[in-house]
Amino acid sequence: MTQFHPEHHHYDPKATEEEPRWYMVDVTLEQAFIDTLPLSELKFLPALEDSLLLRKGCAQLTVIPLEPKHWRTIMDMAETLDLLPDSEDSLLPLL
């Protein structure tokens, strides 16, 4: 992790191997939606009530873990709203 290396711009002198200050995850784009799926729409889905995505205080949408049931709910809604690209359009450019 870069927090332990003084030469790296993410170095944190307070971090130790026993008590890291942050964790890094690898993220890979699987698929882009054709259009935005607004958070305001997701708030009305009962299946997402217990998700971290809708937890009070989660005002900034960054990378957060989703349980498989929550991911499936979001993907189902995207499909219903016709936000999923056709298979030949699966690599849409990111804006």
Side-chain angles (χ1 to χ4, degrees), residues 39-77:
L39 182 60
S40 58
E41 295 284 331
L42 298 175
K43 288 182 177 181
F44 291 103
L45 296 174
L48 295 178
E49 286 178 352
D50 62 339
S51 74
L52 289 175
L53 181 64
L54 301 183
R55 182 176 288 172
K56 196 170 194 159
C58 187
Q60 182 180 355
L61 297 181
T62 58
V63 177
I64 60 169
L66 286 176
E67 293 182 31
K69 65 180 181 176
H70 299 138
W71 177 251
R72 188 72 253 150
T73 298
I74 292 169
M75 293 304 290
D76 288 347
M77 183 174 203

Side-chain angles (χ1 to χ4, degrees), residues 5-64:
H5 301 119
E7 67 280 356
H8 197 277
H9 67 278
H10 290 297
Y11 172 66
D12 188 336
K14 294 182 180 178
T16 66
E17 295 280 345
E18 297 77 31
E19 293 188 37
R21 304 265 293 181
W22 50 269
Y23 296 91
M24 182 174 61
V25 297
D26 290 323
V27 178
T28 304
L29 174 67
E30 292 287 329
Q31 185 177 45
F33 292 163
I34 294 170
D35 201 357
T36 304
L37 180 53
L39 182 60
S40 58
E41 295 284 331
L42 298 175
K43 288 182 177 181
F44 291 103
L45 296 174
L48 295 178
E49 286 178 352
D50 62 339
S51 74
L52 289 175
L53 181 64
L54 301 183
R55 182 176 288 172
K56 196 170 194 159
C58 187
Q60 182 180 355
L61 297 181
T62 58
V63 177
I64 60 169

